[in-house]
Amino acid sequence: MTPTGKILLVGIGPGAHEHMTFRAREAIAEADVVIGYSTYIKLVKDLLDGKEVIKKGMTEELDRSIEAYEHAKQGKTVALISSGDIGVYGMAGPTYELLLDSGWTPDDPIEVEVVPGSTALSSCASLVGAPLTHDFCSISLSDLLTPWPVIARRLESAAQGDFVVALYNPKSGRRTQHIVEAQRILLRHRSPETPVAIVKSGYRALQNIQLVKLADMADCDIGMLTTVLVGNSSTFVREGLMVTPRGYANKYDALTGETRDGEQAGRSLSMGLDGWKGAVRRYLRDTPETTLQKTAAYFGQPLAEILDAVGQSTPDESAGSFTARQVRQDLQDGLLDSLPHWGKLRAVVRSEGGAVAELLIDGADLQKKNDWLNIVNDAFHLHIDWSQARQTWFVSRGEKAHGIQVTDAQGDLLFNLWLVAGDAGFDARALQRYRDDREELCQTLTSDIHHD
């Protein structure tokens, strides 16, 4: 009979035996062959008596997977080990890729088992307090296998999303500037005072812990055995402990445990999924001088979400002086045919850097050609990529302003157009055409569109 082997993908945690799972120790004891990076082999050397041991160097990950598969095909039980959790930046991924590319399936006689272990981010977090109590993500700064623009985009997104960020592979002998660049990206969205924990060789002989500010992060002693934990906007350090609040203070009084006004134990927050747009409408009622753009910034949401909240207002729950109705998606191009009848308009375009251009035009200046909306007259040319338009809203602010706002796929403002009032107010015919077009193009309520 053909011998049947087994591959055990074992996460050994930080390396100290007391932090290794029972199953990990059992898997190593069960193995005929133990394969791993030389540093990991040293961490468990007292468990390897009588084993065939195969040490591999850094960058030889695929060789480890190949060795494991070859020995398993000979009927041996192989323990392929990684520090931390073998499924988190570990050998489980490349091994499964190799096996599947080789024709192996889960029904194959060679059994594969993943034995999880304590990750570097969780073990390092335990040494500094409770920095991961709320939403977090991990990002490797190594560009050996991942293009740097991809890493930078992930850092940007994590920083914008206010995640606690665990940085793996932050620095090496050759890669000295990656942590500097990561710091620069994070500082675009985080306070320089943001707490950072730098843990080197956690739970090992040369363990070293530094609690610093984000502004000082890149100047610290950091290497390949370091995990960096960057706090979010709520993270604090007190009595030498780094803590990220879970959010109980949003609902309960910290000293009495009583629920705060407007909140209920066991129910979503008033700013939860079902209630936050009501909070937007209340904010617009209570802050009559604000704008929709300022409201979007206040809530940290795209403009389209604010417009949707306004669009769901009712006579009993208004959005202050604002009203909004969304143009039906299939009628969006039809709106362009009506704009020449709106007379004098003010086109407003905002750059990502915050610059605002306001152009006085006539509706007849608007022309769509291919995927571009062109505004052309003797004074200027403005070209807008209409293919980026996802939602168009008719927006009014009482009787003071009437126009449309167009948002892109991310819900951000693409551009807007406003009717221009003269000394005697809005042109009656232009305003009536605006209102007629609104009724014709917004036949379905925005709330219906939102929920369908």
Side-chain angles (χ1 to χ4, degrees):
M1 294 179 61
T2 302
T4 301
K6 186 175 184 180
I7 299 175
L8 301 169
L9 299 168
V10 184
I12 62 173
H17 290 184
E18 61 267 30
H19 296 112
M20 194 180 302
T21 67
F22 176 82
R23 178 57 187 142
R25 293 174 65 106
E26 187 180 59
I28 293 173
E30 179 184 338
D32 304 306
V33 182
V34 177
I35 302 174
Y37 174 46
S38 55
T39 298
Y40 307 154
I41 293 293
K42 291 178 183 178
L43 293 172
V44 296
K45 63 182 179 180
D46 58 330
L47 303 179
L48 304 181
D49 289 346
K51 311 291 183 186
E52 181 182 353
V53 177
I54 300 175
K55 301 177 184 179
K56 293 288 183 178
M58 191 68 72
T59 75
E60 295 182 317
E61 290 84 2
L62 293 181
D63 289 340
R64 292 178 231 167
S65 297
I66 292 169
E67 286 272 9
Y69 191 30
E70 290 302 319
H71 282 79
K73 287 192 289 186
Q74 297 170 24
K76 298 176 183 178
T77 296
V78 183
L80 178 52
I81 65 172
S82 281
S83 65
D85 185 314
I86 197 164
V88 179
Y89 301 113
M91 289 300 304
T95 301
Y96 270 125
E97 287 185 67
L98 170 72
L99 291 171
L100 293 167
D101 288 346
S102 299
W104 175 92
T105 72
D107 296 327
D108 194 282
I110 294 177
E111 181 183 348
V112 179
E113 177 187 349
V114 177
V115 181
S118 176
T119 66
L121 65 88
S122 59
S123 59
C124 292
S126 71
L127 290 167
V128 298
L132 305 180
T133 306
H134 215 327
D135 298 335
F136 64 89
C137 66
S138 62
I139 300 174
S140 170
L141 298 189
S142 173
D143 59 359
L144 297 179
L145 300 174
T146 305
W148 178 256
V150 174
I151 298 170
R153 188 166 65 248
R154 291 170 179 171
L155 286 165
E156 189 83 32
S157 298
Q160 287 181 324
D162 201 28
F163 285 90
V164 175
V165 183
L167 299 177
Y168 278 68
N169 307 314
K171 190 175 183 180
S172 69
R174 294 180 180 178
R175 295 183 299 101
T176 60
Q177 293 303 301
H178 297 61
I179 188 68
V180 176
E181 184 66 11
Q183 178 191 46
R184 187 182 69 82
I185 293 171
L186 292 167
L187 281 170
R188 287 207 289 261
H189 306 279
R190 302 278 167 94
S191 164
E193 303 294 311
T194 301
V196 175
I198 298 172
V199 183
K200 187 175 183 179
S201 300
Y203 289 108
R204 298 179 188 173
L206 299 178
Q207 173 180 298
N208 182 50
I209 298 172
Q210 304 167 79
L211 288 175
V212 301
K213 299 173 183 177
L214 179 57
D216 304 320
M217 177 180 77
D219 299 325
C220 295
D221 179 19
I222 296 174
M224 280 297 288
L225 298 179
T226 304
T227 301
V228 178
L229 304 174
V230 182
N232 67 11
S233 60
S234 300
T235 305
F236 62 86
V237 172
R238 191 178 303 162
E239 302 295 336
L241 296 171
M242 182 176 174
V243 178
T244 301
R246 177 66 179 87
Y248 289 99
N250 292 327
K251 181 174 288 189
Y252 303 101
D253 184 280
L255 296 179
T256 67
E258 297 293 327
T259 55
R260 297 188 180 279
D261 290 344
E263 305 297 346
Q264 299 181 56
R267 299 292 181 89
S268 296
L269 287 170
S270 57
M271 278 284 287
L273 177 63
D274 294 331
W276 85 271
K277 289 188 177 177
V280 171
R281 294 187 288 274
R282 182 168 59 252
Y283 178 79
L284 290 169
R285 292 195 302 272
D286 295 344
T287 318
E289 73 281 1
T290 195
T291 65
L292 296 179
Q293 282 75 23
K294 289 180 179 179
T295 302
Y298 177 82
F299 284 92
Q301 290 293 310
L303 178 64
E305 293 293 332
I306 305 303
L307 289 167
D308 189 61
V310 175
Q312 294 181 38
S313 61
T314 65
D316 295 330
E317 189 190 12
S318 73
S321 61
F322 288 99
T323 59
R325 293 184 65 182
Q326 185 182 346
V327 175
R328 278 177 41 178
Q329 195 70 33
D330 59 323
L331 298 178
Q332 202 159 245
D333 279 348
L335 170 66
L336 301 181
D337 298 330
S338 293
L339 293 179
H341 302 286
W342 291 10
K344 297 295 183 182
L345 297 171
R346 179 165 53 93
V348 183
V349 179
R350 299 171 185 267
S351 74
E352 292 184 2
V356 180
E358 296 193 4
L359 310 174
L360 292 177
I361 67 171
D362 189 278
D365 294 336
L366 287 155
Q367 298 177 354
K368 182 173 180 286
K369 185 175 182 180
N370 298 324
D371 286 331
W372 290 89
L373 181 61
N374 304 304
I375 303 176
V376 179
N377 60 29
D378 293 338
F380 55 80
H381 291 192
L382 177 64
H383 306 284
I384 298 167
D385 187 355
W386 187 248
S387 68
Q388 298 299 313
R390 291 295 181 273
Q391 295 182 356
T392 301
W393 297 80
F394 277 76
V395 179
S396 294
R397 188 170 191 173
E399 293 302 321
K400 296 180 179 179
H402 304 282
I404 60 169
Q405 300 209 12
V406 183
T407 58
D408 61 18
Q410 287 71 47
D412 296 322
L413 183 64
L414 186 62
F415 78 105
N416 51 33
L417 292 169
W418 298 99
L419 272 64
V420 176
D423 294 338
F426 293 104
D427 179 84
R429 287 180 297 179
L431 182 58
Q432 187 59 50
R433 181 59 186 259
Y434 172 87
R435 289 171 171 165
D436 291 344
D437 288 338
R438 180 178 61 192
E439 293 304 310
E440 180 181 349
L441 301 172
C442 305
Q443 295 172 7
T444 304
L445 294 175
T446 58
S447 58
D448 294 337
I449 295 175
H450 179 74
H451 292 295
D452 281 351

